[in-house]
Amino acid sequence: MHATKRPLRAISIAFACSFLLTAAFARAADHFLAIGGGDSPTNNQVSLEKNVLFFQRLLSDCQGAVPDVLFSNGKAGTRDLQFEPDEDPPRINILLARLLGREWDVNYHYRKHEIPGLSGPSTHAGLENWFNTEGKKLTDGDRLIIYFTGHGGPGRPPQNTTLSMWCERPMEVTEFTGLLDRLSPKVQVVLIMVQCHSGGFASTIFKNGKVGTELSTARRCGFFATTYDRNAAGCTPDTAEDDYKDYSTYFFAALDGKTRTGKPIGKCDLDGDGRVSFAEAHAYTLIHSDTIDVPTTTSEALLRQFSKSTGNWNTRPQMPFQTLLTRASVTQKAVLEGLSDQLKLSGDDRQTEVNHLADLIESERKTAERDEKQKQRELDNLTNNIRTRLLQRWPELSNSWSPQTMDLLAHQAPAIMDAIDKDSDAARWELLRRDINKLEDHQLDLERRWVKCRRLSRMLETTALAANLKKFAPPEIVERYKQMVEDEGGVLSPKALAGAGAEK
């Protein structure tokens, strides 16, 4: 461990709770572990570093706590982080990248990360070491909050998704569950995971991390940026945090009462107890985040395994909307009403209504996608034409590593740019590029609106599943669900945000 590292054990908090498999807890201590970074410098964006720094500020604000941090290459001190500076590269480089290479990463730069109090790298060995050392110090009744901000991938089977590890193979849900199993089952674990396919890690509530009829005896809950079968928003080389729109941005802002850049946000304390719980922060994210994410939780995973409903993405729930509202929890009701208002839906058969809207949005998105592909084919043809004429005049440009190419860029850049600008296809080429960019932005806007429909549809189903759980699940599963919901309603500390985001 680094000599200047502060203790893992943070502030102690008092809470009492009942649990099916454990005795009542006395005083418990909160512990925090942040894991982050990509699998290589070219896949380790600066937003991941800034997420960890945001998490550190949140804990300092709310609880005066310091997390252990495992990030990318740890203390190696090499340039592991990708970022995009504010200034654009020379225009000659942009033009040649469009014609001869790839434009999207032409302005990427690299530096070493700047995370204080680092514990080690985000590798298999780094996680093994933490669970074998710091993890063993956790005692019954303690609470461990784990935050993962990095990359993730699909799994086999589908819900056995993965976490990216630094410069090595990814870690699957089942392997990660094995690490959690090294803790006492009486240590409460809260997961906050924002990677692509993160919802697969809700499976940590099942024995050995495998979805089935047997739950783990350990006390776990979690919040995930998206479902196991979808990508998540975020992971950008952009350094401007005002532009960030990902799960961490909204979830942590709700807990802290202010954005990444210190701006106060609207009221997040839905039950009026003076504090913002994890569940309330999750609800705020579901309602307000303008991303492609479809966030989910462990309690949803339990419901979808043990309860039944006639409602799903393609059919209607058992209960009319107004009846569902009477059965919904405070957070469920906020999401149902908030998303319905945003989508301008008011019918009592809300599932049919939202499905119809989603179909209309998807149809429009597919039309925009067809238009974009058609224009892209024409753009590719024009790019080939311009490239061919350019290389006939300056064949050295075909090899970007040639010394002659370096000399051309140093002494003939104006002539090369002039030749591109005056090419017979240049005007149409530029017009197509602008049209394609607009169509891509339009498709993204439509997907974000479709996602709002998806979130509402899932919450309709989740509310119905929760209402029906007692009909289909044995009493011990019902009790586990109640305990999980209680844990998801936990807070960072007794002082966690008495202001709780003042009403605008």
Side-chain angles (χ1 to χ4, degrees):
M1 303 295 285
H2 195 278
T4 60
K5 184 172 186 315
R6 286 178 282 180
L8 169 67
R9 186 178 299 272
I11 189 172
S12 293
I13 62 173
F15 72 99
C17 60
S18 61
F19 185 47
L20 182 66
L21 301 174
T22 66
F25 285 86
R27 283 184 71 84
D30 275 356
H31 305 257
F32 304 92
L33 172 64
I35 309 165
D39 55 12
S40 66
T42 55
N43 201 28
N44 189 30
Q45 294 81 8
V46 69
S47 61
L48 302 179
E49 175 199 62
K50 290 184 179 293
N51 279 351
V52 173
L53 296 175
F54 190 21
F55 185 57
Q56 290 176 323
R57 292 197 304 272
L58 168 71
L59 296 182
S60 178
D61 286 350
C62 298
Q63 202 159 324
V66 179
D68 274 348
V69 179
L70 305 176
F71 190 85
S72 67
N73 63 10
K75 302 174 186 177
T78 57
R79 295 188 304 138
D80 63 325
L81 202 70
Q82 181 188 85
F83 72 99
E84 192 167 19
D86 293 335
E87 64 276 8
D88 292 330
R91 184 166 179 266
I92 182 65
N93 295 81
I94 295 176
L95 287 173
L96 291 178
R98 288 174 185 168
L99 288 168
L100 304 173
R102 58 190 196 195
E103 182 185 1
W104 59 271
D105 61 348
V106 71
N107 201 31
Y108 288 177
H109 292 223
Y110 295 86
R111 65 167 172 82
K112 62 182 180 181
H113 68 258
E114 299 172 351
I115 297 177
L118 205 64
S119 303
S122 57
T123 60
H124 287 82
L127 265 69
E128 288 266 354
N129 180 65
W130 190 91
F131 278 92
N132 288 337
T133 56
E134 302 302 326
K136 288 187 179 299
K137 299 176 184 177
L138 276 60
T139 59
D140 291 356
D142 284 355
R143 183 173 65 165
L144 172 63
I145 298 175
I146 301 177
Y147 170 52
F148 183 87
T149 174
H151 294 285
R156 294 184 179 179
Q159 286 169 293
N160 189 33
T161 58
T162 64
L163 302 174
S164 291
M165 297 282 100
W166 183 256
C167 291
E168 56 189 26
R169 65 175 176 82
M171 179 177 289
E172 297 177 334
V173 171
T174 50
E175 184 178 0
F176 183 75
T177 303
L179 294 176
L180 296 180
D181 286 342
R182 298 182 187 184
L183 305 172
S184 166
K186 296 181 182 180
V187 170
Q188 181 189 350
V189 175
V190 180
L191 301 175
I192 304 167
M193 310 186 86
V194 301
Q195 74 277 14
C196 293
H197 306 277
S198 53
F201 283 77
S203 300
T204 54
I205 65 172
F206 297 100
K207 184 176 181 180
N208 300 322
K210 298 178 180 179
V211 178
T213 58
E214 189 172 0
L215 292 172
S216 167
T217 59
R219 185 175 177 181
R220 296 169 188 158
C221 72
F223 304 86
F224 311 94
T226 196
T227 52
Y228 71 89
D229 54 350
R230 287 184 59 85
N231 289 331
C235 299
T236 173
D238 185 1
T239 59
E241 290 191 70
D242 275 337
D243 296 335
Y244 289 6
K245 292 183 178 180
D246 64 339
Y247 187 87
S248 299
T249 295
Y250 294 90
F251 188 85
F252 290 158
L255 291 177
D256 205 12
K258 58 181 181 291
T259 67
R260 289 173 175 271
T261 54
K263 300 174 184 176
I265 63 171
K267 181 174 170 32
C268 304
D269 177 19
L270 299 176
D271 60 10
D273 69 351
R275 300 178 296 177
V276 176
S277 68
F278 300 128
E280 288 171 326
H282 182 77
Y284 174 85
T285 306
L286 279 167
I287 298 167
H288 296 285
S289 65
D290 187 22
T291 69
I292 62 169
D293 294 344
V294 181
T296 187
T297 65
T298 42
S299 60
E300 288 187 17
L302 184 150
L303 288 172
R304 280 165 170 74
Q305 182 64 25
F306 293 104
S307 188
K308 294 181 182 180
S309 169
T310 56
N312 56 44
W313 180 228
N314 295 310
T315 60
R316 57 175 296 174
Q318 288 178 328
M319 290 167 277
F321 185 69
Q322 292 304 319
T323 304
L324 273 179
L325 288 181
T326 64
R327 306 289 183 90
S329 67
V330 171
T331 54
Q332 288 170 344
K333 183 177 180 181
V335 173
L336 291 171
E337 293 182 328
L339 291 176
S340 291
D341 288 345
Q342 288 183 37
L343 296 170
K344 302 185 183 337
L345 303 177
S346 58
D348 211 27
D349 189 356
R350 196 62 49 90
Q351 187 69 273
T352 298
E353 194 177 10
V354 72
N355 287 350
H356 177 65
L357 177 59
D359 289 343
L360 292 176
I361 295 170
E362 180 62 8
S363 177
E364 185 179 351
R365 190 197 65 79
K366 288 182 177 179
T367 298
E369 183 181 36
R370 286 194 297 269
D371 291 345
E372 185 245 325
K373 287 182 178 179
Q374 181 179 352
K375 289 180 181 292
Q376 185 64 55
R377 285 192 294 269
E378 183 181 356
L379 179 66
D380 291 342
N381 289 332
L382 293 183
T383 300
N384 288 332
N385 294 340
I386 298 172
R387 181 194 301 122
T388 298
R389 288 189 283 269
L390 189 71
L391 293 179
Q392 285 174 351
R393 185 171 175 182
W394 289 285
E396 296 88 350
L397 292 175
S398 61
N399 186 345
S400 59
W401 298 106
S402 168
Q404 288 82 6
T405 297
M406 305 300 177
D407 185 69
L408 286 175
L409 293 179
H411 299 98
Q412 296 193 46
I416 295 171
M417 288 189 290
D418 189 61
I420 296 172
D421 290 337
K422 292 180 178 178
D423 189 276
S424 59
D425 287 326
R428 179 63 179 168
W429 186 59
E430 287 294 342
L431 179 61
L432 284 169
R433 287 188 61 259
R434 289 194 294 270
D435 287 348
I436 289 170
N437 287 338
K438 289 178 182 178
L439 284 168
E440 288 175 344
D441 289 342
H442 183 50
Q443 288 178 71
L444 182 57
D445 288 341
L446 290 170
E447 183 177 8
R448 289 168 176 161
R449 186 164 171 78
W450 181 90
V451 158
K452 290 289 181 79
C453 294
R454 184 72 173 112
R455 293 178 192 174
L456 176 56
S457 178
R458 281 180 62 88
M459 187 54 70
L460 289 165
E461 183 183 8
T462 296
T463 306
L465 288 169
N468 290 339
L469 183 62
K470 290 182 180 179
K471 299 178 183 178
F472 301 105
E476 60 269 23
I477 295 298
V478 174
E479 290 304 312
R480 285 295 295 273
Y481 172 72
K482 290 179 180 178
Q483 183 64 69
M484 198 173 292
V485 169
E486 181 180 329
D487 291 343
E488 290 175 356
V491 297
L492 283 177
S493 77
K495 83 167 194 177
L497 309 179
E503 186 77 67
K504 289 183 178 179

